[in-house]
């Protein structure tokens, strides 16, 4: 599982102040911490930055290269000129780059795909059109096949560099999208040959959920996504409980009751089956919390902030 560290984003007050002051210290310290906690790629979300986007992105690439040499960087902005500046600097420094992102909107494809053709970075592509994000997995797959793959192929980008994002929305108000994102990943990985890679913005699943409940939802959903074949997640590497879940799944560690339950969830999802209630010790509060979370994520129970009670 490739973890793209999400923490360097302009909506953070600390990050915004550091970027505006060109103070590399806090940003470099955060980047090192993310890598120490398992991030394989660092996302650099600078927002639109209409006036100084190219200069800011070049500076960000430089200070990241200084702090975490050899770590790939994800250039996350709607500013195409800033993306190009970042790609050019990454190429000069020998840094593997990701472009985050394109959608199926014609104007976005027109401004970004020439850069993809020129620099051949990894590319995150969103299953979204001007009409928005469809609910069904079938419609999202159609967007990928009919609107995203053709310009990618025309740009000569190898399939292993394409990361399709089915777009995860929060369970708080949009939980019907949750199971369909899992199924979109499954189809893309099993139905195409060669298959693209897949990625999600994991934390989106718990947006607007009270802070104390977010990690449980995130990491439970991640197990389901991994079972469907997910390759990468834009996520918080500082979430130790989430990191432990990834370890349990990847190592098939069934040495604890919770580990056995998580593997049962993984195996059931991989087989396109429901998690059997008999796999859950209803006297164990931690297992009960996972069970209830799965029911929300499968859209079997309507989410409420008090769903665990």
């Amino acid at each position: 599982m490739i973890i793209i560290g999400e923490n360097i984003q302009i909506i953070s007050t600390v990050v915004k102040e550091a970027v505006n002051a060109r103070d590399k210290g806090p940003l470099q310290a955060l980047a090192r911490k993310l890598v120490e906690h398992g991030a394989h790629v660092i996302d650099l979300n600078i927002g639109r930055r209409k006036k100084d986007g190219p200069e800011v992105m070049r500076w960000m690439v430089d200070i990241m290269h200084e702090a975490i040499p050899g770590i790939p960087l994800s250039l996350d902005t709607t500013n195409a000129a800033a993306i190009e500046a970042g790609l050019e600097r990454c190429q000069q420094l020998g840094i593997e780059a990701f472009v985050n992102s394109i959608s199926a909107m014609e104007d976005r494809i027109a401004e970004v795909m020439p850069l993809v053709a020129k620099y051949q970075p990894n590319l995150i592509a969103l299953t979204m059109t001007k009409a928005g994000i469809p609910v069904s997995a079938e419609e999202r797959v159609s967007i990928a096949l009919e609107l995203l793959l053709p310009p990618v192929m025309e740009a000569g980008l190898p399939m292993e560099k394409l990361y399709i994002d089915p777009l995860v929305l929060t369970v708080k108000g949009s939980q019907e999208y949750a199971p369909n994102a899992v199924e979109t990943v499954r189809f893309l990985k099993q139905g195409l040959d060669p298959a693209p890679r897949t990625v999600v913005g994991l934390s989106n699943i718990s947006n607007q959920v009270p802070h104390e409940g977010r990690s449980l939802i995130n990491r439970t959903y991640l197990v389901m996504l991994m079972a469907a074949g997910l390759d990468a997640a834009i996520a918080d590497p500082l979430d130790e409980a989430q990191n432990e879940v990834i370890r349990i799944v990847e190592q098939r560690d069934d040495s604890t009751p919770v580990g056995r339950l998580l593997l049962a969830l993984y195996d059931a999802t991989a087989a396109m089956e429901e998690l059997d209630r008999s796999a859950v010790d209803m006297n164990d509060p931690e297992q009960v919390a996972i069970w209830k979370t799965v029911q929300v994520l499968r859209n079997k129970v309507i989410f409420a902030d008090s769903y665990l009670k």
Side-chain angles (χ1 to χ4, degrees):
M1 174 57 55
I2 299 169
I3 297 298
I4 302 173
E6 68 181 7
N7 309 63
I8 299 180
Q9 49 184 295
I10 204 69
I11 62 173
S12 161
T13 300
V14 172
V15 171
K16 184 175 182 179
E17 290 178 353
V19 170
N20 289 342
R22 303 299 189 270
D23 181 4
K24 67 181 182 180
L27 300 173
Q28 290 182 326
L30 178 54
R32 292 188 187 100
K33 188 175 182 181
L34 297 176
V35 172
E36 288 168 1
H37 283 77
H40 304 97
V41 181
I42 299 299
D43 190 67
L44 303 178
N45 183 333
I46 67 168
R48 294 185 179 183
R49 304 299 296 203
K50 290 185 177 180
K51 294 182 179 179
D52 60 357
E55 186 270 322
V56 167
M57 190 62 86
R58 278 191 294 269
W59 177 75
M60 292 285 280
V61 170
D62 282 342
I63 67 169
M64 291 297 113
H65 182 60
E66 183 180 294
I68 47 171
I71 300 299
L73 301 176
S74 172
L75 312 178
D76 189 351
T77 176
T78 56
N79 186 330
I83 289 176
E84 181 164 24
L87 288 173
E88 181 180 44
R89 193 63 182 136
C90 284
Q91 185 179 78
Q92 292 168 349
L93 296 173
I95 300 170
E96 182 180 359
F98 285 67
V99 169
N100 188 7
S101 56
I102 67 160
S103 66
M105 298 181 190
E106 292 181 2
D107 54 348
R108 185 63 174 171
I109 288 173
E111 65 182 2
V112 174
M113 289 312 297
L115 305 179
V116 172
K118 180 178 180 180
Y119 293 98
Q120 296 289 295
N122 298 286
L123 175 65
I124 295 173
L126 314 179
T127 56
M128 177 175 66
T129 67
K130 285 185 177 180
I133 305 167
V135 175
S136 75
E138 292 80 7
E139 288 178 278
R140 294 189 225 187
V141 169
S142 292
I143 290 172
L145 295 180
E146 298 171 13
L147 301 178
L148 294 174
L149 282 182
V152 167
M153 295 175 67
E154 185 177 343
L157 191 72
M159 194 66 79
E160 62 268 20
K161 285 192 170 186
L162 174 62
Y163 289 74
I164 294 182
D165 184 344
L167 290 167
V168 169
L169 298 181
T170 178
V171 293
K172 192 163 185 175
S174 303
Q175 73 178 75
E176 68 273 18
Y177 286 77
N180 290 330
V182 174
E183 293 312 309
T184 303
V185 169
R186 188 192 308 277
F187 182 88
L188 291 169
K189 297 305 293 182
Q190 297 181 2
L192 298 180
D193 185 18
R197 295 192 178 187
T198 52
V199 63
V200 298
L202 181 62
S203 301
N204 292 340
I205 193 66
S206 62
N207 275 349
Q208 302 175 19
V209 172
H211 177 76
E212 62 273 12
R214 295 197 66 182
S215 177
L216 173 62
I217 294 172
N218 293 349
R219 63 185 187 260
T220 304
Y221 195 46
L222 182 57
V223 173
M224 298 165 65
L225 287 160
M226 291 174 72
L230 186 72
D231 297 288
I234 303 169
D236 180 6
L238 305 182
D239 185 339
E240 295 291 1
Q242 179 178 282
N243 294 344
E244 175 62 6
V245 165
I246 295 171
R247 186 199 67 78
I248 287 171
V249 170
E250 291 185 338
Q251 297 181 9
R252 298 287 303 183
D253 182 357
D254 62 357
S255 62
T256 65
V258 168
R260 288 191 289 274
L261 175 57
L262 292 173
L263 292 175
L265 172 60
Y266 179 95
D267 292 342
T269 306
M272 301 179 68
E273 298 173 353
E274 298 286 342
L275 175 64
D276 194 324
R277 189 184 179 98
S278 66
V280 186
D281 180 354
M282 291 298 178
N283 294 314
D284 180 347
E286 188 174 0
Q287 293 190 53
V288 171
I290 293 171
W291 168 259
K292 289 183 176 180
T293 302
V294 170
Q295 303 317 300
V296 168
L297 292 169
R298 290 193 181 279
N299 200 28
K300 302 292 186 181
V301 174
I302 300 299
F303 174 82
D305 289 346
S306 60
Y307 81 97
L308 291 177
K309 297 178 181 179

